[in-house]
Amino acid sequence: MLANIADFFSSGANLMFFLFALLAIGGAIFMISFTKVVSMVVSVAVTFLSLAGLYILLEAEFLAMAQVLIYAGGISILMIFGIMMTRHQGGEEQETKRTLHSTLLWIGILGLFGILFYAFQKSTFPQGEFNAPEDNTLEIGKLLFTEQVIPFELMSLLLTVAFIGAIVLAKREEE
């Protein structure tokens, strides 16, 4: 067992995968554990950047750059502007609610880890050579603007409706 773990960490790519995965999971856990909104945004940004690192390890450079530009950059900045522009009252929650929340959080984390560990142990992964295209970005662009143009436009419409809904909710909060 210890020899398998040492073999796993002998490769630099495996070590980086473990580091990025640990940062992504840790950022997500900290995001739901923190009570201050700014700390939550920083935790989400760490999770987004870690996911971009995982995409780079998977040789999906386009997805990594989109992750950094759209999520780590755009969404995090949008959240910070939202915090700055709204009246945020930092009232502390009751400690009993927080203890119950933390206990349920750790039970959920351990349960999810157990389920994933069992699923990975019982599953068989396909073996073989993967032939990636020469230029990932070109292939994604071709798919987005030919076969996937309708879902692409529907997603932009959905994001526009969500943005308008956020504005309406913010206006309602002022009144």
Side-chain angles (χ1 to χ4, degrees), residues 3-4 16 21 31 43 47 52 72 79 88 92 99 106 111 119 121 132 168 174:
N4 291 340
M16 291 306 294
M31 191 276 172
S43 298
T47 302
M79 291 169 79
H88 179 68
E92 293 295 322
T99 305
W106 283 106
Q121 292 297 321
V168 168
E174 286 179 4

Side-chain angles (χ1 to χ4, degrees), residues 18-169:
F18 183 75
L19 177 71
F20 285 137
L22 195 63
L23 282 172
I25 293 169
I29 290 171
F30 284 137
M31 191 276 172
I32 60 176
S33 297
F34 286 146
T35 57
K36 304 253 186 220
V37 180
V38 176
S39 301
M40 291 176 171
V41 171
V42 171
S43 298
V44 166
V46 167
T47 302
F48 289 154
L49 290 173
S50 301
L51 289 175
L54 288 172
Y55 289 144
I56 288 174
L57 288 175
L58 292 172
E59 297 179 6
E61 297 85 12
F62 178 78
L63 285 178
M65 293 316 323
Q67 181 77 23
V68 169
L69 291 174
I70 296 170
Y71 289 106
I75 300 295
S76 298
I77 296 298
L78 185 66
M79 291 169 79
I80 289 173
F81 276 123
I83 292 166
M84 290 175 12
M85 296 177 87
T86 59
R87 284 178 260 153
H88 179 68
Q89 307 214 345
E92 293 295 322
E93 297 179 12
Q94 296 175 352
E95 190 61 34
T96 57
K97 286 173 103 178
R98 204 70 192 143
T99 305
L100 177 64
H101 179 264
S102 296
T103 304
L104 290 175
L105 171 73
W106 283 106
I107 290 171
I109 289 168
L110 292 174
L112 179 64
F113 179 75
I115 291 169
L116 288 175
F117 183 77
Y118 178 76
F120 285 139
Q121 292 297 321
K122 294 296 179 184
S123 62
T124 57
F125 296 104
Q127 301 292 323
E129 187 66 30
F130 173 70
N131 296 324
E134 183 78 20
D135 188 7
N136 288 338
T137 308
L138 179 65
E139 293 299 319
I140 290 173
K142 283 180 183 176
L143 280 175
L144 271 180
F145 294 114
T146 56
E147 295 176 24
Q148 303 295 328
V149 72
I150 303 254
F152 183 72
E153 291 300 324
L154 287 175
M155 185 58 68
S156 66
L157 182 66
L158 177 68
L159 288 173
T160 304
V161 169
F163 185 67
I164 292 170
I167 292 171
V168 168
L169 287 175

